[in-house]
Amino acid sequence: MPTQIAVITGAGAGIGRAAARALGRAGFDIALLGRNEDRLKETAENLAKHSVRSLVIPLDVSDAKAVQDAAERIETELGPISVWANCAGATVVGQVSTLSADDIRRATEVTYLGSVNGTLAALGVMRRRGQGAIINLDLAPNLRGMPLQAAENGARSALRGFCESLRPELRHDADNIRVVMVDLPAINTPHYGWTRNLTGKRLKPVGPVYEPEVAAEAICRAAFSTSRSISIGATNSFAALWHMIAPGCREARLAEKGYKAQMEHDWAEGPQPDDLYKSVPGSFGAQGPFNEHSRRVDSPLTFFVSSSLRASIFGALTAMSLTALMAHIRNCRKS
C-alpha cells in the first residue's frame, strides 16, 4: 500500500510542527510549508529520524500562486495529496480603535486567505481523484468574541463561513472530499511571544491551556473523521450553548474579565519582534512558555468531541427535557 501524503502549512513551529510529527507517526509522508526555511528544515530533520519522508517548500500562504505551485510540486515529488492541514496564521492583538487597516488586512491575508488558498490548492489536486480531507483551524467557542482579538476572530469567522458553503458544494458534485474544522482552545505555542501586540503587556493564554500535541492529535483525528468538526474538552460545548442562550450575559462578562484574562501583570520590555509581515528569526519548537499548567494528551481532562457526538448528546438532552415536560403536563392535568 503506498504511503499517504499530508500537507501542513505553518509547519515550522507551534501547532504545525506538532501536527507534522503526529501525522508522520500515523504513516503519512509530509510536505512542510511555511515562511521560515530554517525551521522547516528542523522539522524535516526531526521527521527523518523517524523514517518519514518530507518535502520543504518555503512560501507565504497569502501568495495564492505559490501555494498552487507547491501543490503541483508535492504531487510530482511526493505523491497524491490525501490530507491538507492549514495551520498557518498571524494576527494583531489590541483594541479595534488602535488597529491599523494595513495590519487587519495582513492578518486576514495570512489567517483567512492563507487557509482559503490552501483549501483551493487542495481541491485542485484532490478532485482529480474525488477524495481527500481538508483541515482548517477555528477558535473554540469560549474564545470567540474575545475583546482585543477582533482581527483573529474576524478571520476565523470568515473561514468558518467559507467552509460551511463549501461542504454542500462538494456534496452536490459527489466529491468524497471532507472539510473538517478543528475548534482549538488556548494552545501553548510560541505565538504568544511573536504576535503583534498593541496592549503594552505580555500576552498569556485564556482558559484551560493545552500542549500543541493535543491540537496535533485533534488534527490527526480530523484526517480520518467523517464529522464536520472536532473540539477539545468539555468547556467548548458548554460555551457554545451559553453563547446561544445568553449572549448578553457572556458579552458583559467578557467586557469585565476579558482584558485581564489575556495579559500578564508586567509591562512588556519595549517593542517586540512579531511575525505579522515577516517571520521572526530564531529556532522555535512546538511548545511555548506556558507548559507548567498545560494539559497533555494523556491528561484525564483532555478528550475530543466530534460534531456528531455533540449533536447526539444535545439531542438526547433535548429528548429527555421534552419527555420530562410532557410528563409534567400530564401530571398537572390529572391533578
Side-chain angles (χ1 to χ4, degrees), residues 12-323:
I15 293 171
R17 189 163 185 166
R21 293 199 296 257
L23 288 170
R25 286 194 300 269
F28 288 84
D29 286 338
I30 314 292
L32 307 167
L33 278 57
R35 288 183 292 180
N36 191 299
E37 186 173 5
D38 291 338
R39 289 202 288 266
L40 293 178
K41 289 180 177 179
E42 289 176 2
T43 305
E45 290 171 2
N46 182 267
L47 293 175
K49 294 177 182 178
H50 298 87
S51 302
V52 177
R53 284 195 310 152
S54 62
L55 177 63
V56 169
I57 304 179
L59 54 73
D60 190 323
V61 293
S62 66
D63 185 341
K65 187 178 186 306
V67 177
Q68 294 280 355
D69 291 344
E72 296 296 339
R73 180 182 169 189
I74 294 162
E75 291 263 316
T76 301
E77 298 186 26
L78 277 185
I81 298 168
S82 54
V83 172
W84 187 298
N86 291 304
C87 300
T91 190
V92 54
V93 176
Q95 282 192 311
V96 171
S97 59
T98 67
L99 304 182
S100 73
D102 287 340
D103 285 355
I104 295 174
R105 183 183 302 109
R106 176 59 180 168
T108 304
E109 287 173 350
V110 177
T111 304
Y112 170 58
L113 291 179
S115 296
V116 169
N117 292 338
T119 300
L120 294 176
L123 287 174
V125 296
M126 289 178 179
R127 275 187 153 158
R128 299 169 186 171
R129 298 171 289 276
Q131 61 182 4
I134 301 171
I135 303 165
N136 286 313
L137 305 185
D138 195 2
L139 296 173
N142 66 310
L143 297 181
R144 296 173 191 170
M146 289 291 294
L148 309 178
Q149 298 284 350
E152 173 85 357
N153 271 276
R156 297 298 177 188
S157 297
L159 182 58
R160 195 181 317 131
F162 176 83
C163 292
E164 287 174 354
S165 291
L166 174 59
R167 289 192 188 101
E169 293 179 9
L170 293 172
R171 179 171 292 191
H172 174 272
D173 294 344
D175 282 321
N176 187 27
I177 300 174
R178 295 171 288 108
V179 179
V180 187
M181 301 293 288
V182 176
D183 301 332
L184 292 179
I187 304 294
N188 176 32
T189 70
H191 90 273
Y192 292 98
W194 67 36
T195 293
R196 175 158 294 195
N197 178 10
L198 305 183
T199 67
K201 293 190 174 184
R202 290 194 295 269
L203 301 176
K204 66 178 183 179
V206 178
V209 185
Y210 294 82
E211 285 294 279
E213 287 75 18
V214 177
E217 175 65 20
I219 290 170
C220 197
R221 292 181 182 223
F224 301 99
S225 174
T226 58
S227 296
R228 295 159 53 89
S229 66
I230 293 179
S231 299
I232 299 170
T235 56
N236 294 329
S237 298
F238 291 119
L241 188 61
W242 186 24
H243 201 182
M244 287 189 298
I245 295 175
C249 293
R250 181 175 185 272
E251 185 178 292
R253 181 170 178 79
L254 288 176
E256 180 183 359
K257 306 286 188 180
Y259 282 64
K260 185 177 180 180
Q262 299 179 70
M263 296 183 287
E264 301 278 11
H265 295 295
D266 300 330
W267 293 93
E269 298 175 357
Q272 302 295 314
D274 64 74
D275 72 337
L276 187 59
Y277 292 93
K278 61 181 181 179
S279 176
V280 175
S283 178
F284 293 91
Q287 280 79 18
F290 302 99
N291 55 2
E292 184 176 353
H293 302 292
S294 57
R295 298 174 181 177
R296 305 179 188 278
V297 174
D298 58 357
S299 168
L301 296 175
T302 299
F303 52 90
F304 304 90
V305 182
S306 65
S307 57
S308 53
L309 176 59
R310 185 165 56 247
S312 298
I313 294 173
F314 284 166
L317 292 174
T318 301
M320 291 170 59
S321 300
L322 290 175
T323 301

